[in-house]
């Protein structure tokens, strides 16, 4: 059973920490949701740790700055964790097997900035690489847009490291294709894919360790059943689905519970614990 609530403060005293997804919960990729700003302000009255858990290909510090530029007070958050940070840590601890990677990035220079501090070479020559680093996609990218690169990587048996497994992301009220689509395409071609971020357990374990809270005292607030809710359920956290995100077209406000149960069953997960129209 999904408990429909009016505001997040209705349940705030049940938890020691609340973790927020970024895109679709705090902002739409361009501007903050006003109700989210107000909700965070109200949560100051509670003895809570607050965190952000984002499938951003960038490292945590860069993502914190991006959140700040969207109008948020980042001092409200105890921890900001990204999938890009999780992948960087993988390479920093010697668990990444590539030494020279071809970058697929949203903006030129993203991969070079991400790799600072690593013994990892970035090359624009696919035939010189021994791996593919998939961080982001320029807006407007089509699913087949990188088939030449993927085919070359497949021919050389290159692993693909994806630091953003999202399939879609909001951008100013619309939705754009995200890197997870390309990672899935490479896997379907027969390539080896390493995914970092939600719903995979490593990033939830890292966040829980940073918060130093018991799993049953953590609430995950997200807009994706497949990433936020599924990953948090596997980690033993409680979950809150924001209906105004990527599932908005699939949920009729006159039959909220039925639609959420239907979507959860299709995703092969349990329904979320709570639900709100948006973070408020």
């Amino acid at each position: 059973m999904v408990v429909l609530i009016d505001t997040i403060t209705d349940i705030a005293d049940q938890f020691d920490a609340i973790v927020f997804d970024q895109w679709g919960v705090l902002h739409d990729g361009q501007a903050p949701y006003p109700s989210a700003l107000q909700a965070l302000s109200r949560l100051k009255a509670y003895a809570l740790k607050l965190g952000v858990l984002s499938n951003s290909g960038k490292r945590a510090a860069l993502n914190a700055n991006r959140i700040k530029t969207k109008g948020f007070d980042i001092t409200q958050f105890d921890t900001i964790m990204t999938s890009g940070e999780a992948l960087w840590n993988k390479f920093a601890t010697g668990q990444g097997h590539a030494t020279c990677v071809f970058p697929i990035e949203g903006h030129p220079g993203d991969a070079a900035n991400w790799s600072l501090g690593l013994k990892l070479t970035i090359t624009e020559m696919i035939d010189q690489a021994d791996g593919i680093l998939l961080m982001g996609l320029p807006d407007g990218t089509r699913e087949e847009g990188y088939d030449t690169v993927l085919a070359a990587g497949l021919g050389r048996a290159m692993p693909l490291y994806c630091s953003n497994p999202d399939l879609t992301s909001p951008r100013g009220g619309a939705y754009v294709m995200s890197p997870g689509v390309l990672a899935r395409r490479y896997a379907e071609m027969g390539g080896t894919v390493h995914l970092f971020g939600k719903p995979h357990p490593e990033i939830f374990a890292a966040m829980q360790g940073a918060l130093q809270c018991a799993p049953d005292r953590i609430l995950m607030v997200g807009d994706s059943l497949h990433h936020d809710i599924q990953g948090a359920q596997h980690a033993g956290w409680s979950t809150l689905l924001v209906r105004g995100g990527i599932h908005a077209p699939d949920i009729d406000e006159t039959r909220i519970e039925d639609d959420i149960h239907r979507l959860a069953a299709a995703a092969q997960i349990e329904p979320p614990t709570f639900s709100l129209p948006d973070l408020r």
Side-chain angles (χ1 to χ4, degrees), residues 88-116:
W88 189 93
N89 287 331
K90 194 80 168 180
F91 275 90
T93 55
Q95 299 176 70
H97 301 298
T99 59
C100 180
V101 296
F102 179 90
I104 300 177
E105 53 196 351
H107 303 91
D110 282 351
N113 288 332
W114 173 87
S115 67
L116 292 174

Side-chain angles (χ1 to χ4, degrees), residues 106-128:
H107 303 91
D110 282 351
N113 288 332
W114 173 87
S115 67
L116 292 174
L118 297 176
K119 294 179 180 179
L120 184 68
T121 302
I122 308 294
T123 179
E124 297 292 337
M125 307 295 290
I126 188 67
D127 60 347
Q128 295 179 6

Side-chain angles (χ1 to χ4, degrees), residues 28-90:
D28 66 0
Q30 294 182 348
Y33 297 122
S35 59
L37 290 170
Q38 295 162 11
L40 290 171
S41 179
R42 292 199 310 274
L43 286 173
K44 290 180 182 178
Y46 294 81
L48 288 166
K49 292 182 178 180
L50 302 181
V52 177
L53 189 57
S54 174
N55 277 357
S56 167
K58 293 181 172 61
R59 294 197 61 192
L62 286 174
N63 200 54
N65 186 61
R66 178 161 52 185
I67 294 172
K68 183 178 180 179
T69 64
K70 295 282 189 289
F72 291 90
D73 176 4
I74 60 171
T75 65
Q76 292 178 314
F77 301 111
D78 296 89
T79 303
I80 296 175
M81 183 77 64
T82 67
S83 49
E85 188 76 15
L87 178 56
W88 189 93
N89 287 331
K90 194 80 168 180

Side-chain angles (χ1 to χ4, degrees), residues 34 48 51 64 74 79 84 88 91 125 140 154 156-158 160 182 201 207 212-213 216:
L48 288 166
I74 60 171
T79 303
W88 189 93
F91 275 90
M125 307 295 290
L154 189 63
R156 294 169 59 85
M158 292 183 193
L160 181 148
L182 220 58
M207 174 58 87
Q212 290 293 293
C213 292
D216 62 350

Side-chain angles (χ1 to χ4, degrees), residues 187-210:
E188 290 172 348
M189 293 169 66
T192 298
V193 175
H194 301 280
L195 296 170
F196 292 82
K198 300 171 290 183
H200 307 289
E202 288 183 0
I203 197 167
F204 286 90
M207 174 58 87
Q208 186 173 320

Side-chain angles (χ1 to χ4, degrees), residues 4 39-40 49 52 78 97 105 117-118 130 135 141-142 145 165 226 231 249-250 254 257 259 270:
L4 305 181
L40 290 171
K49 292 182 178 180
V52 177
D78 296 89
H97 301 298
E105 53 196 351
L118 297 176
D130 60 1
M135 290 186 64
T141 297
R142 296 182 301 172
H226 299 88
D250 305 310
T254 65
E257 292 185 69
D259 283 348
E270 293 297 318

